[in-house]
């Protein structure tokens, strides 16, 4: 099972405040522990929304909305993708997040990632083959 750990934004991440050396070291140790355990697939921090944009479609027509965005509690500051055996194992990894992040007041969200079998018969063999080709090509592009 794959899960995404979502690190919620806060006033500091939205202000572009970068982590200090102590937090970078703690996050590095946490990530290294997950890699050694064979569960971490990817993890990245995100720039603040002042450098971002949203595209909203209305009746099929796109409109670009430049950041920053105001509802900080709904924004994402970073993510990690892990592969574990269960939701409970994923939650155990979340509980080990460096407690010093955001002065001990960080909010994390856990979301399971869809797997091919979750889509049932509608995900036909042809669509599965297409998805496999896309993933293979994407991996080559890295």
């Amino acid at each position: 099972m794959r899960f995404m750990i979502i690190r919620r934004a806060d006033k500091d991440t939205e202000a572009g405040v970068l982590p200090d050396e102590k937090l970078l070291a703690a996050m590095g140790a946490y990530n290294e522990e997950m890699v050694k355990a064979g569960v971490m697939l990817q993890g990245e921090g995100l720039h603040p929304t002042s450098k971002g944009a949203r595209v909203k479609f209305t009746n099929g027509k796109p409109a670009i909305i430049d950041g920053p965005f105001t509802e900080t509690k709904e924004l994402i500051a970073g993510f990690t993708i892990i592969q574990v055996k269960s939701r409970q194992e994923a939650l155990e990894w979340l509980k080990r997040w460096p407690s010093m992040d955001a002065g001990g007041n960080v909010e994390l969200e856990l979301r399971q990632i869809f797997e091919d079998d979750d889509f049932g018969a509608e995900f036909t063999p042809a669509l599965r083959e297409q998805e496999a080709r896309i993933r293979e090509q994407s991996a080559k592009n890295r």
Side-chain angles (χ1 to χ4, degrees):
M1 303 173 91
R2 291 180 301 150
F3 289 88
M4 178 181 278
I5 301 168
I6 300 167
R7 199 290 195 181
R8 290 285 173 196
D10 56 38
K11 63 178 178 56
D12 286 341
T13 61
E14 277 300 289
V17 176
L18 297 175
D20 63 18
E21 183 179 350
K22 188 174 179 181
L23 179 56
L24 287 171
M27 286 303 302
Y30 174 70
N31 290 340
E32 188 171 29
E33 184 180 1
M34 288 195 298
V35 168
K36 286 180 179 177
V39 301
M40 185 172 171
L41 301 176
Q42 184 178 358
E44 305 293 340
L46 303 173
H47 282 270
T49 62
S50 61
K51 295 182 177 182
R54 291 180 177 164
V55 178
K56 180 179 180 179
F57 286 82
T58 304
N59 297 320
K61 294 184 180 182
I64 297 172
I65 305 155
D66 289 321
F69 306 116
T70 57
E71 289 298 321
T72 303
K73 66 182 181 174
E74 297 179 7
L75 303 176
I76 298 170
F79 68 92
T80 301
I81 298 177
I82 59 174
Q83 186 163 14
V84 294
K85 293 182 176 113
S86 68
R87 180 178 183 272
Q88 186 58 41
E89 183 181 354
L91 288 169
E92 290 302 318
W93 281 107
L94 262 73
K95 292 190 315 190
R96 294 162 78 171
W97 189 273
S99 61
M100 69 180 66
D101 188 10
N105 298 302
V106 68
E107 183 175 345
L108 305 173
E109 180 178 332
L110 182 68
R111 301 282 301 274
Q112 188 171 350
I113 297 172
F114 278 107
E115 302 293 347
D116 292 353
D117 290 342
D118 294 330
F119 294 102
E122 289 81 6
F123 199 41
T124 65
L127 291 172
R128 288 174 188 255
E129 287 176 23
Q130 178 189 36
E131 182 67 20
R133 283 192 313 272
I134 291 168
R135 288 184 182 169
E136 183 179 324
Q137 184 61 47
S138 177
K140 287 179 183 176
N141 291 343
R142 289 186 194 169

